[in-house]
Amino acid sequence: MNTTIRGTTRLLGAALRTLLVLTLLCGVLYPLTVMGIGQAFFNHQANGSETTSHGKTVGSSLIGQRYDLPLKKGQETPEPDLKWFQPRPSNGLGTNTVNTQYKLLLSGATNRAGDNEELIQWVKDAKAAVIKDNSVDGYQVKPSDVPPDAVTSSGSGLDPAISPQYADIQVHRIAKLNNLDVAKVQNLVNQHTDDRILGFIGEPRVNVLELNIALKALEGA
């Protein structure tokens, strides 16, 4: 009987010591080490890739955000503020969106098939809106000019970037509504176009938040 009790006590003691050691290693030392390395060598990424303007954090370079007019009475989805470059539709298409404000809790795709009638109609409506909104002062956007990212959301619905093609067709609208020279706005897009990673990974892209920050600075210049 005493031998059994001693054996059980010894096993419980060993288990407790193992628990304490693993808690210290995996629950304290390892997280602190990883956090320390992150803060020391990858400070920007470790703190959410924050984007600042005039010393104020205005968003993250990894998370898209919309640029909308104030919500009117009776509206469920606000209208886009066309003075700013517009991002991809957020987790949906046009005004029929699942995630109308890039809310992180609703990250995800609509999961509709390519032959879904509602999806097809969303794409048609979104394309018509892009053509209408961006055809200004003799500049006419053709249906073939509208890239896929102008009428579809990304898989997460949170994509912060658009294609250079989508940014380009917005240039004339932006210039008109902000009383800016078209060439200056186009140059702004060119300056904020990032090439493929390492020259072959992914596609060229334009971060909408960073572009709109530069646009605001150009307006004040």
Side-chain angles (χ1 to χ4, degrees), residues 17 48 62 72 82 86 91 105 144 166 172 206:
R17 289 193 296 273
L62 302 178
K72 298 178 182 177
L82 298 178
Q86 292 297 314
N91 217 344
L105 292 178
S144 59
Y166 186 25
H172 284 76
V206 182

Side-chain angles (χ1 to χ4, degrees), residues 166-187:
Y166 186 25
D168 287 343
I169 65 176
Q170 298 186 63
V171 166
H172 284 76
R173 183 198 81 230
I174 295 295
K176 176 180 174 61
L177 295 180
N178 293 283
N179 297 314
L180 295 170
D181 183 70
V182 172
K184 287 186 177 180
V185 178
Q186 183 62 63
N187 186 51

Side-chain angles (χ1 to χ4, degrees), residues 47-121:
N47 289 293
S49 300
E50 295 178 343
T51 298
T52 60
S53 178
H54 300 292
K56 180 181 178 181
T57 299
V58 294
S60 169
S61 62
L62 302 178
I63 303 296
Q65 55 182 277
R66 291 175 61 92
Y67 299 85
D68 292 325
L69 295 170
L71 192 65
K72 298 178 182 177
K73 185 177 181 180
Q75 281 186 326
E76 293 185 2
T77 304
E79 299 175 359
D81 188 345
L82 298 178
K83 290 181 63 177
W84 302 101
F85 283 95
Q86 292 297 314
R88 298 185 67 161
S90 52
N91 217 344
L93 301 157
T95 58
N96 301 287
T97 60
V98 176
N99 183 1
T100 59
Q101 294 293 334
Y102 283 91
K103 295 177 181 177
L104 300 184
L105 292 178
L106 297 178
S107 174
T110 57
N111 292 325
R112 286 175 168 80
D115 60 354
N116 181 277
E117 292 183 2
E118 188 176 26
L119 177 65
I120 293 172
Q121 189 59 50

Side-chain angles (χ1 to χ4, degrees), residues 150-165:
V151 297
T152 59
S153 65
S154 62
S156 68
L158 302 172
D159 196 338
I162 58 176
S163 66
Q165 292 81 6

